[in-house]
Amino acid sequence: GEEPAAEATREWLSRARLWMQRLDPKATVPPTARLPANAVNWEPAAAVLFVLTHGHFDPRRDVPPPLPQRQTDLISVCCATSDRRRTFHPLIYENFRRQTHELRELVVVHTGEMPSNFFTEKARTDPRVVYRFFPITREAPGSPRLTDEKMGSPWDAVLVDDDPAELTYWEHGDPWAWEIVREGWTRGLKRNVACCIARGSVIAHFDDGCLYAPAYLSRMLAELRSSPVTGDASLSITAGVLTKWYTVGIADLDFRLVDMKRPEPLWEQYGQDPRRGQEKDQYNHGFVYMYTRAAWEQQPFPDTETVGTKDSDFMKALRS
């Protein structure tokens, strides 16, 4: 009857408000925001993202149809990218293509001035690829939020000096505390959009510019399923992060192992205690995250960016 429907709507609104609060405690619903009547049939996160992006993300258009049947082994590999990173688009796909885990999809959220020819073609020829492009606007401040990045040359990511705002730099103090003010979509917001589009019960991140071993998804999924929380990792609120990887710096001819379980002496050079610094940093690298969709439905990625990264806020919230 009418009363159960009204109660269901109130519960849906309560969940949406809570999710938006976790996304950004300072976020408010724009006064001009209007949801379609059938929005109560969307998941609350989809409605929040629709409102905060002023409808640029529209679940009716951007979320693919559900799969015919629930596939608990399906992993959605999500990647947030931009025009400045389009040189690495073939690398993202190659990392995905070489994975040995069979049931997988690649969800790419791209903001910029022009769609990626590479991913447009891959989405046409490979049904596992879901590519969504959101163009920038050139309207006055206060207009619908979209990325502030400009395309320039597609080789900029390789040949042009990095934007200081995109670099992690070290000085005395906490690099994660310095927030970058962006007029456009933050990486966290783009990750939330990608998760909303994803159809897998498990989600992993691939970042452009990184290399992932062919067995990466299979090994990470096995570790996720070994969690003592529950025997069905597809349904529980579970997340995991890689603790060891290698970094290479071409300009510095530097190749080194990063081990998040061992204190890094480098912290001492910047006024930090190595052990405490490592504990603070161990969950701060979103490019090696894997988690269940249930985890994301409870806790979105913060809609903020810092000099370092705020990825750890996602993990900290899940652990609290």
Side-chain angles (χ1 to χ4, degrees):
E2 184 174 335
E3 183 57 33
E7 180 62 29
T9 300
R10 284 193 292 270
E11 180 184 353
W12 182 89
L13 283 171
S14 177
R15 291 168 57 201
R17 291 191 183 101
L18 178 60
W19 200 86
M20 185 173 71
Q21 177 74 12
R22 290 172 173 171
L23 173 75
D24 182 358
K26 297 180 290 185
T28 58
V29 176
T32 57
R34 296 292 184 271
L35 285 170
N38 67 341
V40 292
N41 299 318
W42 303 348
E43 60 180 345
V48 172
L49 294 171
F50 175 87
V51 167
L52 294 184
T53 63
H54 295 256
H56 285 281
F57 167 73
D58 189 334
R60 296 167 294 185
R61 178 195 63 227
D62 298 318
V63 175
L67 297 171
Q69 59 185 10
R70 183 169 173 270
Q71 296 177 318
T72 58
D73 283 348
L74 178 65
I75 298 178
S76 294
V77 178
C78 292
C79 178
T81 189
S82 64
D83 280 344
R84 291 174 58 88
R85 309 293 289 176
R86 65 174 62 235
T87 303
F88 296 110
H89 290 178
L91 180 62
I92 299 169
Y93 180 76
E94 187 64 15
N95 278 317
F96 172 78
R97 186 190 68 80
R98 291 170 57 85
Q99 293 300 305
T100 57
H101 183 80
E102 185 64 28
L103 289 175
R104 63 191 188 277
E105 67 174 359
L106 177 62
V107 179
V108 179
V109 171
H110 175 190
T111 53
E113 293 185 340
M114 293 179 60
S116 166
N117 291 334
F118 178 84
F119 272 126
T120 299
E121 177 63 16
K122 288 303 177 185
R124 187 183 68 83
T125 59
D126 187 341
R128 302 171 301 175
V129 176
V130 181
Y131 173 66
R132 296 293 183 264
F133 172 75
F134 298 93
I136 66 168
T137 59
R138 296 183 180 276
E139 300 173 6
S143 62
R145 298 172 11 134
L146 279 175
T147 181
D148 56 349
E149 293 175 347
K150 303 298 185 289
M151 179 182 168
S153 166
W155 282 98
D156 280 355
V158 177
L159 301 179
V160 176
D161 290 340
D162 291 312
D163 180 349
E166 295 182 348
L167 297 177
T168 299
Y169 67 85
W170 298 87
E171 61 180 18
H172 283 276
D174 186 353
W176 320 126
W178 298 93
E179 185 171 347
I180 298 171
V181 178
R182 283 198 183 276
E183 296 179 0
W185 287 10
T186 64
R187 179 177 288 266
L189 187 68
K190 288 195 279 188
R191 281 178 170 161
N192 288 320
V193 169
C195 290
C196 196
I197 294 169
R199 292 173 290 183
S201 57
V202 174
I203 297 172
H205 291 173
F206 277 11
D207 271 16
D208 42 27
C210 295
L211 294 172
Y212 297 85
Y216 176 79
L217 293 179
S218 298
R219 293 290 298 274
M220 289 288 285
L221 181 61
E223 290 296 324
L224 202 67
R225 283 179 168 165
S226 68
S227 167
V229 176
T230 178
D232 187 354
S234 66
L235 299 176
S236 65
I237 297 174
T238 312
V241 58
L242 194 68
T243 59
K244 290 183 181 180
W245 62 87
Y246 291 94
T247 63
V248 58
I250 302 300
D252 300 327
L253 299 178
D254 180 50
F255 182 78
R256 62 191 296 267
L257 170 69
V258 176
D259 185 348
M260 301 308 298
K261 291 187 175 181
R262 298 180 59 186
E264 171 58 64
L266 188 65
W267 285 95
E268 293 181 338
Q269 300 179 26
Y270 302 96
Q272 298 273 335
D273 175 78
R275 185 167 298 280
R276 290 183 59 192
Q278 202 77 343
E279 290 174 355
K280 183 185 298 185
D281 193 36
Q282 61 183 336
Y283 296 113
N284 224 10
H285 304 277
F287 56 87
V288 285
Y289 278 11
M290 180 178 281
Y291 48 92
T292 59
R293 184 178 181 86
W296 172 78
E297 289 172 350
Q298 173 171 301
Q299 176 59 49
F301 287 91
D303 186 16
T304 57
E305 286 191 22
T306 61
V307 172
T309 171
K310 293 290 280 186
D311 289 333
S312 62
D313 285 2
F314 170 77
M315 288 290 188
K316 290 176 182 176
L318 288 177
R319 290 164 57 87
S320 63

